[in-house]
């Protein structure tokens, strides 16, 4: 991907809508884009949290997923896990 984090987020949100998923929160910085989204896949109501880390020549996407019904109980550890990613 050769664009900015903001462009990446907009492209991602368009893809999510195509899949019937909905972004419920987002955040963009100079070298990252975060999105939280919900929806149904293969009969399961799911909740995702994803962060795209931008480096010179690549984007690294780290994602956590759980059942939507379990999100409130598990979101702190899932978000902490994704946000703790250290690029090399």
């Amino acid at each position: 991907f050769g664009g900015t984090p903001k462009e990446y987020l907009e492209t991602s949100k368009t893809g999510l809508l195509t899949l019937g998923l909905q972004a419920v929160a987002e955040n963009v910085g100079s070298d990252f884009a975060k999105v939280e989204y919900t929806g149904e896949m293969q009969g399961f109501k799911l909740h995702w949290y994803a962060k795209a880390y931008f480096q010179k020549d690549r984007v690294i996407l780290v994602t956590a997923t759980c059942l939507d019904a379990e999100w409130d109980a598990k979101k702190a550890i899932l978000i902490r896990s994704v946000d703790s990613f250290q690029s090399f």
Side-chain angles (χ1 to χ4, degrees), residues 9-22:
L9 182 62
E10 292 306 316
T11 300
S12 295
K13 287 175 18 184
T14 299
L16 294 174
L17 288 173
T18 301
L19 295 170
L21 306 176
Q22 180 178 350

Side-chain angles (χ1 to χ4, degrees), residues 53-67:
Y53 295 84
F54 285 73
Q55 296 180 340
K56 289 183 271 182
D57 59 344
R58 70 182 129 214
V59 177
I60 299 170
L61 181 64
V62 181
T63 306
T65 309
C66 75
L67 294 172

Side-chain angles (χ1 to χ4, degrees), residues 34-36 48-51 53 62-66 71-86:
K34 295 181 192 180
V35 63
E36 183 180 326
W48 291 265
Y49 176 78
K51 184 173 181 181
Y53 295 84
V62 181
T63 306
T65 309
C66 75
W71 179 252
D72 287 337
K74 295 182 177 180
K75 69 181 176 182
I77 188 77
L78 294 173
I79 289 171
R80 191 167 49 248
S81 294
V82 169
D83 288 347
S84 72
F85 176 79
Q86 298 289 317

